[in-house]
Amino acid sequence: MLGGWQINGIATLERGLPLALSAPNTSQAFNKGLRPNSSGTSARRDGAVDARLNQYFATSAFSQPAPFALGNTARTLPDVRADGVRNFDLSLFKQFKLRERATLEFRAELFNAFNTPQFGAPGTTLGSNAFGVVSSQVNPARQAQSGAKLLF
């Protein structure tokens, strides 16, 4: 009963996607939006994501371009990315010999085993109430399942 257990694991570790900021179109150009102006300082803020959900990056580093002008911010921010993925899935299983030709397999699985949240991207439109604010979680909470299979 104590020996013969097996464990499997899958670890997914990814960096977040780069953020592309936009600003309301005041240039009268035939496009949907502009890029904001950058003050030249980095918008990156360090620390745990859950501690900076209301200001994921330094929003004061950006401003609205003047009327009939285009913003100077790059297409994507070079040093600010959305939250990455840190996910671990685990499974534990064992086969029990019942008879000569019958085996029972027990399996337990945990998805997002350590219950680590992955937050959505912050708002990226300058001037909106959601600019720099993370308002969603994009992964489910920990899920567990178990099952048994009879092999004969």
Side-chain angles (χ1 to χ4, degrees):
M1 184 73 169
L2 296 177
W5 288 91
Q6 296 179 1
I7 187 167
N8 289 330
I10 299 173
T12 305
L13 304 171
E14 297 176 358
R15 290 183 68 189
L17 296 173
L19 298 178
L21 303 184
S22 63
N25 186 353
T26 58
S27 70
Q28 305 305 318
F30 297 105
N31 61 357
K32 293 181 181 178
L34 300 176
R35 295 181 186 146
N37 278 335
S38 173
S39 66
T41 60
S42 173
R44 180 184 173 129
R45 293 186 64 220
D46 293 323
V49 175
D50 58 348
R52 52 191 173 101
L53 294 177
N54 290 324
Q55 192 174 24
Y56 187 77
F57 55 86
T59 57
S60 60
F62 304 100
S63 62
Q64 177 70 36
F68 307 105
L70 303 175
N72 65 2
T73 300
R75 184 176 63 83
T76 58
L77 297 178
D79 57 350
V80 180
R81 292 177 165 263
D83 190 27
V85 177
R86 294 164 307 283
N87 187 57
F88 297 91
D89 298 332
L90 300 174
S91 66
L92 178 72
F93 58 98
K94 179 177 171 124
Q95 291 188 341
F96 299 94
K97 192 82 165 166
L98 300 178
R99 295 194 173 152
E100 183 177 324
R101 298 185 68 187
T103 303
L104 179 69
E105 179 181 275
F106 170 77
R107 176 179 295 267
E109 299 169 327
L110 289 172
F111 304 101
N112 191 8
F114 302 119
N115 208 24
T116 305
Q118 179 192 352
F119 295 103
T124 57
T125 303
L126 180 72
S128 76
N129 290 337
F131 186 58
V133 176
V134 175
S135 60
S136 65
Q137 180 179 337
V138 295
N139 68 334
R142 177 186 308 124
Q143 296 176 347
Q145 68 183 22
S146 62
K149 178 170 48 172
L150 181 61
L151 306 164
F152 55 94

